[in-house]
Amino acid sequence: SGASNYPIIYTGDPEGRTRILGAQLLNDFKPVTDESTLRLMDEVAREEVVQVDLKALGITDYGSPKGNGMALYFGGEPMALSRWPNEGFVNVVDVSDYDGHVTHGRKGSKTGKFIYDDERPARWVNEKDPWVHGYWFWDWSDERQPIANIDTENKTLTLAEPYHNYGYRKGQWYYAYNLLSELDTPGEWYIDRDTGLLYFWPPEPVDENECLVSISSSILKLADVSHMTFSNLHFEGTRHTAITMQGGTENRVSDCTFHNMGASAVSIANGTKHGVTGCEIYNMGGGGIHINAGDRTTLTPAGNFADNNHIHHFGQVKRVYQAAISLNGVGNSAAHNHIHDAPHMAIGFGGNDQLMEYNEIHDVCLESNDAGAIYTGRNWTMRGNVVRYNYMYDINGFRDEGCVGVYLDDMFSSCEIYGNLFVNVYRAAFIGGGRDCTVENNIFVNCKRGLHIDARALGWAHGHSDEWIAEQKEKGTISGIAYDKPPYSDRYPILSDIMKGEPAAPEGNRITTNIAIGEPWEDIEEKARPYLHIENNLVDVDPLFVDAANGDYRLKEDSPAHKIGFKPLPYDKMGLLKKE
């Protein structure tokens, strides 16, 4: 460690690129000559694919195709593990065994056996280790699984056990991968884990570009380390998270680049006042920055922060619940970040007194539905969280079938959604049966449903609230928290009285002073409406933006929004701040 007035600083040349690699350089590629291997390959690939002997280079740990295994990078970009189709997905034609599995009215099967309608799987019969990756039942839950059997006569695929927890359903989407026979396009590769031979179709001459395979699990592990800074460094090529911090205080990761990694960039656990600032994070197999610190029992804030980072093209291996930034614990923040291009969420949070502000978020939830760009769920005691002054746009879900801007799922309560700009978001602000939330002073433009509120704890989701109520009666706690005693009773006095009314009802939600234009705004369950406080919103009235066609949503002086008390949004502070 350093000291508060004498920090230890590791820095690279700001004018160059100081690289710290968790990868090994590959060379000595040769043509493929083995006849049995060539017969298995696609005809178009036989003269294009080259091979390298990893065992001869001392590389014997290849990991699993399931994830966090070896990855290949060429010319600074990740290459694709051989797959079919080469892009996108194919749909499950039907499941083979309807075994009575029904969830929320959707029929499927718990048995991993389903029907396909293409001739392509016939090519995989002689593959050593074929896998599939799919969204098997729900649009927000994916899993990678090995193929156990291919029945070409009946066109069925049987997966190896254990089967996917949620089961399988007709119409869901998947692709197959880790197939030598599907190495049929530039940029694809495959490892024979028995022989240690790596096969690769380089998109450019293999000897004219750098080719790397990921080797190291991580790069830096800081245990109870304080007052240390890492700046102007370029981290790449790990199979897991590059930097982990456990405990300590006031460490900084600033102006660094993280890319081409199997998991995430930085993980902070239990420390205080650590910060990740000014970094670019991209081509990540998992998420970006994960913070879990602060004491929920005592409500002691940790004060960690992720500020002014550009995080994009993440979640490339682990597709869902891999946030660009996640905040858990108490009293952490994410501000001025630019987040885009991901299959699932941008920011995930839980705990108390988390602050998410001035972020620019777009083009996320690209491969999932019933998902949230900013997401949390399922707790009455996680209070004091604020989502404000964020610019969120072009968020519509996979195949435009629906996702959410700020998603308070399954009775999550007491979140303030204030001063955000939502443009072209399928559902913008979503309160899933929760209590004591505020949606105030936001702008909704061309959102298919700007506001969603339901009363699910009074209906299909009552099981969760029933458990919390039963726990309170038996133990006097809710989710393990002494909710009606200090510090909770002091910090959140309204929580202390939750059992005196209708705890499962969406009481205490305030919807006020918002602007909504372009699409129907409300999507409110009638059962919820009597419990809501909705007033003073400007809906379907031209708010007189300065130049909405060109993205200028400032209000003109004669805007009717001024009469309802709408306060101007700080557009110039949203997103990345310019570095001095």
Side-chain angles (χ1 to χ4, degrees), residues 16-174:
R17 192 172 79 156
T18 305
R19 302 168 73 194
I20 302 182
L21 298 181
Q24 184 166 330
L25 181 68
L26 295 185
N27 48 35
D28 198 27
F29 282 94
K30 298 175 181 177
V32 181
T33 57
D34 180 73
E35 288 298 327
S36 61
T37 301
L38 290 170
R39 283 195 299 271
L40 188 57
M41 283 185 183
D42 192 289
E43 185 175 352
V44 301
R46 292 170 185 168
E47 294 185 2
E48 304 292 343
V49 173
V50 293
Q51 69 180 44
V52 63
D53 188 340
L54 297 176
K55 287 185 178 179
L57 297 174
I59 304 171
T60 58
D61 178 8
Y62 315 122
S64 168
K66 189 175 183 66
N68 295 124
M70 179 177 287
L72 177 70
Y73 305 100
F74 183 75
E77 294 295 324
M79 299 292 101
L81 188 56
S82 53
R83 53 165 286 174
W84 179 85
N86 289 326
E87 294 182 354
F89 299 84
V90 291
N91 288 348
V92 172
V93 174
D94 205 348
V95 297
S96 298
D97 179 14
Y98 279 100
D99 53 8
H101 175 52
V102 179
T103 302
H104 293 292
R106 300 191 182 192
K107 184 172 65 172
S109 173
K110 280 282 191 176
T111 302
K113 186 176 181 180
F114 60 89
I115 300 170
Y116 61 87
D117 63 359
D118 197 279
E119 298 300 326
R120 200 77 174 193
R123 302 174 58 168
W124 312 338
V125 172
N126 295 319
E127 289 282 351
K128 290 184 176 181
D129 192 17
W131 286 65
V132 286
H133 175 212
Y135 290 76
W136 299 114
F137 196 95
W138 297 118
D139 297 2
W140 40 263
S141 178
D142 71 324
E143 190 170 30
R144 297 171 183 268
Q145 297 181 275
I147 298 173
N149 183 66
I150 302 171
D151 182 345
T152 58
E153 182 177 350
N154 296 302
K155 290 191 172 182
T156 59
L157 290 180
T158 302
L159 306 184
E161 296 186 59
Y163 298 134
H164 185 52
N165 179 55
Y166 293 113
Y168 304 82
R169 187 160 60 90
K170 177 181 178 179
Q172 293 300 108
W173 46 92
Y174 72 98

Side-chain angles (χ1 to χ4, degrees), residues 90-378:
V90 291
N91 288 348
V92 172
V93 174
D94 205 348
V95 297
S96 298
D97 179 14
Y98 279 100
D99 53 8
H101 175 52
V102 179
T103 302
H104 293 292
R106 300 191 182 192
K107 184 172 65 172
S109 173
K110 280 282 191 176
T111 302
K113 186 176 181 180
F114 60 89
I115 300 170
Y116 61 87
D117 63 359
D118 197 279
E119 298 300 326
R120 200 77 174 193
R123 302 174 58 168
W124 312 338
V125 172
N126 295 319
E127 289 282 351
K128 290 184 176 181
D129 192 17
W131 286 65
V132 286
H133 175 212
Y135 290 76
W136 299 114
F137 196 95
W138 297 118
D139 297 2
W140 40 263
S141 178
D142 71 324
E143 190 170 30
R144 297 171 183 268
Q145 297 181 275
I147 298 173
N149 183 66
I150 302 171
D151 182 345
T152 58
E153 182 177 350
N154 296 302
K155 290 191 172 182
T156 59
L157 290 180
T158 302
L159 306 184
E161 296 186 59
Y163 298 134
H164 185 52
N165 179 55
Y166 293 113
Y168 304 82
R169 187 160 60 90
K170 177 181 178 179
Q172 293 300 108
W173 46 92
Y174 72 98
Y175 63 86
Y177 71 103
N178 200 48
L179 302 157
L180 179 58
S181 61
E182 295 297 348
L183 206 170
D184 60 356
T185 192
E188 288 193 319
W189 63 284
Y190 170 84
I191 296 176
D192 186 323
R193 286 172 164 76
D194 294 332
T195 64
L197 293 176
L198 184 149
Y199 301 94
F200 177 42
W201 185 340
E204 297 177 3
V206 72
D207 56 352
E208 296 180 9
N209 289 272
E210 182 181 76
C211 189
L212 299 168
V213 287
S214 58
I215 298 294
S216 298
S217 175
S218 63
I219 291 177
L220 292 172
K221 293 185 178 180
L222 309 181
D224 298 319
V225 168
S226 301
H227 307 296
M228 189 170 284
T229 294
F230 301 88
S231 66
N232 296 311
L233 296 169
H234 190 107
F235 298 92
E236 59 183 292
T238 63
R239 296 187 184 183
H240 294 274
T241 298
I243 299 177
T244 59
M245 300 184 198
Q246 176 74 36
T249 189
E250 294 193 32
N251 294 322
R252 297 287 181 271
V253 179
S254 64
D255 300 308
C256 291
T257 298
F258 297 83
H259 81 140
N260 293 347
M261 293 177 169
S264 302
V266 181
S267 175
I268 298 170
N270 300 323
T272 61
K273 300 180 181 178
H274 299 313
V276 182
T277 65
C279 295
E280 182 171 16
I281 301 170
Y282 66 101
N283 287 351
M284 307 299 288
I289 301 163
H290 302 300
I291 298 173
N292 187 355
D295 191 319
R296 287 203 64 228
T297 301
T298 63
L299 289 178
T300 302
N304 299 299
F305 55 91
D307 289 358
N308 214 45
N309 301 289
H310 185 193
I311 308 174
H312 57 100
H313 296 90
F314 57 96
Q316 295 184 332
V317 178
K318 295 184 177 180
R319 310 295 284 182
V320 300
Y321 297 102
Q322 298 294 311
I325 300 171
S326 62
L327 304 177
N328 289 285
V330 180
N332 305 293
S333 66
H336 297 292
N337 301 286
H338 183 193
I339 302 170
H340 60 94
D341 285 279
H344 199 228
M345 62 186 178
I347 297 176
F349 73 97
N352 298 70
D353 303 332
Q354 315 284 23
L355 176 62
M356 294 142 279
E357 62 180 356
Y358 301 114
N359 300 290
E360 179 181 356
I361 302 171
H362 61 94
D363 294 289
V364 295
C365 303
L366 295 175
E367 199 176 275
S368 50
N369 296 310
D370 190 18
I374 298 179
Y375 178 87
T376 189
R378 202 167 292 175

